[in-house]
Amino acid sequence: MSEINLPPEQQECIKAVDIDRLYKLVDQSLYNEEPSALRELCLEACGEYIAAQLRAFERALSVHAKAKSAKKRAGTETDVRRAGGALISSVQQMRERVETEEKEGHLFFVDDHVMQPFCSSNNLSVSISFRWRVKTSDPWVYGNAKFTHQYSPTPPYHSYPPKRKQSTADEVRKRETEVYREWDHLRRLALHSVKDFFKQGGSGDDIPAQFNAKPGSCGGGLNNHSLRFWG
């Protein structure tokens, strides 16, 4: 599962979009009242964010094409233009992200493909692999950091006992789901923590080989500061 890095094929699709052409095709789609002209840009392959904005634009176009009265069409045309602007903006934002990731990738890379654990123990851990260098002429240095967390589930406040007692199998599945959800939270926090450290100019030499999560003050769970291993 990709978390902090855009897949290479997605990056190439985003870079291939001609922004000027996109502007023209959005206007053409409004004029034709249907979005087929946009297909040449392969926006669906540019990732979920852009694809979602494309679907929103298509829905707005569909509503506009069905509108009859002048008053209604004026309103739906405004919605189409707004959705088209959001679509163009999403491509521009993702283009900037690609440029940033490529620039950062010359000096560091955090591998966000982390294997899901097979056990459901409350002793959670995530290992993050990375590489870095000070200058582009330097050889890569590879490292690994292990982040651990003792999961202590607490019953929600104002909870009511179930009307019917759960079976043992249902209880096991529920517990496994809760443990995995907490592990996935740990995974995402660990990835962002390591990447943020590098983005702020940190050295891979200063990343600890192992770091125990700092429990939050409310309930002892994980929060955005739990895996901040630097001052």
Side-chain angles (χ1 to χ4, degrees), residues 45 56 144 152 154 177 188 229:
N144 187 275
S152 300
T154 55
T177 299
R188 288 184 280 110
F229 53 84

Side-chain angles (χ1 to χ4, degrees), residues 68-176:
K68 301 300 182 182
S69 69
K71 181 179 180 181
K72 178 68 173 178
R73 286 181 62 80
T76 55
E77 180 177 338
T78 298
D79 293 339
V80 172
R81 293 189 182 280
R82 184 181 298 112
L87 174 60
I88 294 169
S89 177
S90 70
V91 175
Q92 292 172 327
Q93 290 176 44
M94 295 307 293
R95 179 74 65 81
E96 291 174 0
R97 178 174 170 180
V98 169
E99 292 172 355
T100 298
E101 287 192 14
E102 288 182 336
K103 181 179 179 181
E104 293 172 346
H106 293 308
L107 296 178
F108 69 86
F109 178 78
V110 181
D111 188 352
D112 59 2
H113 289 86
V114 182
M115 294 296 295
Q116 177 182 342
F118 294 100
C119 63
S120 57
S121 168
N122 287 354
N123 298 314
L124 307 179
S125 66
V126 169
S127 293
I128 305 299
S129 300
F130 52 87
R131 64 175 184 259
W132 86 99
R133 55 189 176 186
V134 178
K135 303 187 299 294
T136 56
S137 58
D138 294 338
W140 286 109
V141 180
Y142 293 83
N144 187 275
K146 183 178 182 181
F147 295 87
T148 61
H149 171 52
Q150 178 65 41
Y151 175 45
S152 300
T154 55
Y157 293 108
H158 309 300
S159 62
Y160 297 94
K163 295 181 180 179
R164 184 175 61 184
K165 182 176 175 59
Q166 288 184 316
S167 68
T168 301
D170 286 341
E171 290 179 349
V172 169
R173 280 193 294 269
K174 180 180 179 182
R175 178 182 177 279
E176 289 178 345

